[in-house]
Amino acid sequence: MGRIILTSESGADLPLEWTSKHSVQVVPMHVIMDEKDYLDGALPVEDIYDYYERTKKIPSTTATNVYEYEEFFKQIKTNFPDCVIIHIGYTSKASSSFQNAIIATEELNDIFLIDALNVTGGLAAIVMYAVDVIAKEPTIDPEQLVKKIEAIVPKSRLAFVPGSLEFLKAGGRVSNLAYLGGALLKIKPCIELIDGKLTSTKKYRGNMSTVTEKLIQDYLNQYDIDKGQIFLVYSLGLDEKIKERMTDVAKEHGFEHISWIQAGAMISTHAGPGGFGIAGLER
C-alpha cells in the first residue's frame, strides 16, 4: 500500500504554506463575475469587492464539476501510482461539489470520500486533524484513518459573523435567515454549521468590535474546544485591532496554537468584507 494523499476543496481556505508543507492537494471551486468563470484560489478577493462596488451585484459561485474531479484524482494517481486518496469535502448540504466527487470516483480505486459537513475553518480543522494523525501514525491503515476522521466530523464547530449582510442575504445559502425580518440591516447574525447547513443561530447588535467579542465568548462557553488548536477566520477588511483582541482572548482561554485563516474568494463571495469566524474541534 502506498502513501496516503489528503485532498479537499478550495472552500476549506487552507493557507498555501499549510498545503505545501503537508502535501495536501486542493481542487478549486468557482466564482462567476460578468459571466466569466474564475478559479477560487487564483482570483484575488479584492476583485470581488471591487466588482460589487462597481455593479452592486454579488458574484455567484459554482461547485467543482465531475470532469474536474476526474482529472484531479487521475493526476494524483499518475504522480503517486500506489497512493490512497482520502478526500475531505465541503459540506454536501450547501454545494453539489461532494456529489460530483462521488460521481467522478465511481470507476476509480483507492479513494475514500468524507463529507466534512463544514466549510472554511471548520473544514480546515478536520483536514489538519487528519494531517496530525498521519504525522503521529505514519503507518496508519487508510481505513482506520477514515474512521478517525469520520468520528471527528461532528466535533468540528464553526461560527462566524459576516462583515456585510448584503453579501450574505444575496447569497441565499443560510437556511433560516428570513427570521431576521425587518431588523436584518440593524444586526449581525451568527452563522453556524448545523448538520452541515449554514444556519443563523443568534443575533448580535453593536459594532464589529463588540460583536466579535460576544461571538468568541459565546462560542467558547458553548463548546468544549480542544485547547491544542483553534482557528480564527477573517475576510479582508477586518480591523487589525479586532484580530489582535481575538488572539488575546484565545490566549487567555489557554489555546496552545492559534492559527489565522483568510477567507478565500468563494467564501468571501457569501460572507462579504470584514467578517470574523472561529473554528475548532470539541474534545
Side-chain angles (χ1 to χ4, degrees):
M1 186 68 69
R3 64 182 292 182
I4 294 173
I5 302 290
L6 296 175
T7 65
S8 190
E9 286 98 354
S10 59
D13 290 330
L14 291 160
L16 180 59
E17 58 267 32
W18 296 5
T19 58
S20 298
K21 179 179 179 180
H22 302 293
S23 298
V24 177
Q25 305 290 316
V26 176
V27 62
M29 301 172 91
H30 301 261
V31 177
I32 311 298
M33 295 191 302
D34 285 332
E35 300 182 355
K36 295 181 180 179
D37 189 320
Y38 298 89
L39 294 179
D40 183 27
L43 175 67
V45 173
E46 293 90 342
D47 288 3
I48 292 171
Y49 303 153
D50 290 344
Y51 173 78
Y52 177 74
E53 288 301 316
R54 292 195 321 269
T55 66
K56 300 305 176 185
K57 296 179 182 179
I58 306 297
S60 61
T61 59
T62 60
T64 307
N65 63 45
V66 173
Y67 174 77
E68 288 171 319
Y69 272 119
E70 289 176 344
E71 293 302 302
F72 175 66
F73 290 131
K74 286 178 181 178
Q75 186 60 57
I76 293 173
K77 287 289 188 178
T78 297
N79 294 338
F80 306 99
D82 298 323
C83 76
V84 174
I85 298 172
I86 298 179
H87 180 72
I88 306 172
Y90 193 96
T91 177
S92 62
K93 304 296 181 64
S95 171
S96 62
S97 190
F98 191 76
Q99 182 61 37
N100 290 342
I102 292 174
I103 296 170
T105 56
E106 287 178 347
E107 297 183 5
L108 299 178
N109 298 318
D110 295 326
I111 300 179
F112 295 89
L113 304 177
I114 300 171
D115 185 351
L117 297 174
N118 226 306
V119 303
T120 189
L123 174 52
I126 298 170
V127 174
M128 296 312 294
Y129 165 81
V131 166
D132 289 342
V133 172
I134 293 174
K136 294 174 182 175
E137 305 176 53
T139 60
I140 188 170
D141 179 77
E143 292 189 6
Q144 185 62 32
L145 176 57
V146 168
K147 290 179 180 179
K148 284 178 176 283
I149 299 170
E150 289 177 337
I152 211 70
V153 164
K155 297 182 179 181
S156 181
R157 300 296 182 181
L158 168 69
F160 72 91
V161 287
S164 171
L165 296 180
E166 295 173 88
F167 277 66
L168 188 66
K169 184 180 180 183
R173 296 296 179 90
V174 178
S175 63
N176 65 335
L177 191 59
Y179 93 92
L180 298 173
L184 180 63
L185 298 179
K186 299 178 182 179
I187 66 171
K188 292 191 184 302
C190 170
I191 309 301
E192 298 187 58
L193 269 289
I194 307 296
D195 296 325
K197 296 180 180 179
L198 292 157
T199 306
S200 183
T201 57
K202 300 182 185 72
K203 295 183 288 185
Y204 293 121
R205 297 183 184 274
N207 58 30
M208 201 61 181
S209 179
T210 300
V211 167
T212 52
E213 189 84 26
K214 291 177 181 177
L215 172 68
I216 195 169
Q217 296 294 354
D218 283 352
Y219 177 92
L220 295 175
N221 287 333
Q222 182 176 357
Y223 300 117
D224 182 19
I225 300 298
D226 189 312
K227 297 294 185 180
Q229 176 76 69
I230 196 165
F231 300 88
L232 303 179
V233 185
Y234 74 101
S235 53
L236 287 180
L238 184 66
D239 191 290
E240 287 297 320
K241 291 183 179 179
I242 293 177
K243 292 174 66 177
E244 291 173 5
R245 174 57 186 159
M246 295 301 98
T247 298
D248 289 342
V249 172
K251 289 179 179 178
E252 290 166 7
H253 280 79
F255 286 95
E256 297 174 23
H257 299 286
I258 303 164
S259 299
W260 278 94
I261 296 175
Q262 180 188 316
M266 204 279 294
I267 296 295
S268 296
T269 294
H270 300 293
F276 170 73
I278 180 170
L281 301 176
E282 285 189 287
R283 287 189 281 205

